[in-house]
Amino acid sequence: MFTEITDYIQSNKSDLTDEWMERMKDEADEKFLQVVSDQIFAKTSHEFVEMIASNLRDSKEFSSRLEDFAEKVVRFGWPLTFVTTALSTFAKVVYEAMKKDNLIKEENHAEQVEKFDNWVTPMYNKVISAYTESWERTVSLQKIALQELSAPLIPVFEKISVMPLVGTIDTERARLIMENLLNGVVKHRAEVVLIDITGVPVVDTMVAHHIIQAADAVRLVGAKCMLVGIRPEIAQTIVNLGIDLNQFSTNSTLRKGIEKALEMTDRKIVSAEGSE
């Protein structure tokens, strides 16, 4: 059905690709062109054209190429709108070129338009579906990685561990903090745990509630909890909200907290003999 289009693309692939790339550069914004080098853009563009051409030859080959291409462009950060525009633009380039070469005439115009529509529309849907699946898979993997890094419990000294928190704390993250705290305390045999909130932008009633719950849970497994990194504005917010943090120790900085934790475990920092 698509033999004529397939043969034309194969015979004029280089010229069609060059014309298509020029048009796509006009479509792309400056940020996109700055991130993607000319070499990568050219290489990926040729792969894109090969993928489109494979859809005219073999559906299995197209599916394989499409899956690989979708993963690549998601990794490069190509937006879906750019990819779909690229597809419609290439079809337009091929149509105009075939018309210029008198392969599309008035007498066969309706027939050729139908062929282009039967070629492009199903492919358009498949490209969107493949891109979306790849994007969702990538986001899911990134979410898992971020969750693993969002609430790490780090042993800094024997019996002393630190959990640095950065960013907003919501209910899901609070659950992860609690889980990592309890598992980490048992794993590292910590007696004192310092929760560092230096990187938490806002401490409201809900965040304080989650931290208090975490501290209570830590005490139940035999360790003590200390809250450090309390900035002046955070301290003022806590007071204004009437939040009671008297059940565990607090310190303004991580350094002071570690010094206090060493004292709580019958140790202290001393200057080495002969050091200045």
Side-chain angles (χ1 to χ4, degrees):
M1 182 179 182
F2 304 118
T3 304
E4 190 175 7
I5 301 175
T6 305
D7 291 344
Y8 187 82
I9 292 175
Q10 292 294 346
S11 301
N12 302 274
K13 190 182 297 181
S14 180
D15 292 338
L16 292 171
T17 303
D18 290 343
E19 174 62 24
W20 173 79
M21 285 174 59
E22 286 301 315
R23 295 196 189 186
M24 290 312 302
K25 283 182 179 179
D26 293 335
E27 291 284 343
D29 57 31
E30 284 188 28
K31 287 184 179 179
F32 176 79
L33 294 175
Q34 288 172 358
V35 172
V36 180
S37 68
D38 290 341
Q39 184 178 2
I40 291 177
F41 182 73
K43 185 176 184 296
T44 309
S45 296
H46 282 281
E47 290 177 8
F48 182 73
V49 172
E50 284 290 344
M51 178 192 74
I52 294 174
S54 71
N55 186 51
L56 296 165
R57 298 191 304 266
D58 186 338
S59 60
K60 289 184 179 179
E61 180 187 355
F62 171 71
S63 298
S64 176
R65 285 179 178 270
L66 177 57
E67 186 176 342
D68 292 341
F69 183 81
E71 289 184 5
K72 179 175 291 187
V73 295
V74 167
R75 191 167 64 249
F76 286 165
W78 287 26
L80 179 58
T81 52
F82 185 83
V83 176
T84 53
T85 300
L87 185 59
S88 58
T89 300
F90 184 76
K92 187 176 181 180
V93 167
V94 175
Y95 178 85
E96 290 176 356
M98 289 182 68
K99 190 173 182 181
K100 183 180 178 181
D101 289 343
N102 212 29
L103 294 173
I104 297 178
K105 308 173 185 177
E106 186 175 345
E107 56 266 26
N108 69 350
H109 179 265
E111 180 187 351
Q112 293 290 5
V113 168
E114 185 179 359
K115 285 183 179 181
F116 268 84
D117 185 58
N118 291 335
W119 166 43
V120 175
T121 301
M123 182 166 55
Y124 192 90
N125 295 332
K126 289 177 182 178
V127 168
I128 292 176
S129 177
Y131 183 98
T132 303
E133 288 178 9
S134 183
W135 174 261
E136 289 176 350
R137 186 164 54 248
T138 300
V139 170
S140 178
L141 291 172
Q142 289 176 343
K143 184 178 180 181
I144 293 171
L146 285 172
Q147 285 179 338
E148 291 174 350
L149 296 172
S150 66
L153 188 68
I154 306 167
V156 290
F157 291 103
E158 185 182 358
K159 302 179 182 180
I160 299 174
S161 295
V162 175
M163 176 173 280
L165 299 179
V166 178
T168 305
I169 299 174
D170 55 17
T171 303
E172 176 62 23
R173 193 173 177 207
R175 182 195 61 77
L176 188 66
I177 290 170
M178 181 86 74
E179 185 179 310
N180 287 0
L181 263 176
L182 297 177
N183 291 336
V185 166
V186 174
K187 179 181 178 182
H188 303 305
R189 298 180 181 179
E191 293 184 6
V192 181
V193 175
L194 291 82
I195 300 179
D196 185 3
I197 62 169
T198 305
V200 178
V202 177
V203 175
D204 55 19
T205 305
M206 187 188 73
V207 172
H209 175 69
H210 289 319
I211 293 173
I212 291 170
Q213 279 190 324
D216 288 340
V218 167
R219 278 201 298 273
L220 289 175
V221 294
K224 296 177 182 178
C225 194
M226 185 186 305
L227 187 64
V228 301
I230 302 177
R231 306 185 302 278
E233 62 271 23
I234 296 296
Q236 187 174 3
T237 301
I238 290 172
V239 171
N240 291 339
L241 292 173
I243 299 168
D244 183 12
L245 298 179
N246 291 327
Q247 60 266 52
F248 53 90
S249 301
T250 59
N251 271 288
S252 59
T253 65
L254 178 59
R255 178 177 178 179
K256 290 180 180 178
I258 290 177
E259 290 175 354
K260 180 65 176 177
L262 287 170
E263 291 178 10
M264 293 167 68
T265 55
D266 300 320
R267 290 170 291 177
K268 64 179 181 179
I269 298 175
V270 297
S271 299
E273 185 178 348
S275 63
E276 296 182 359

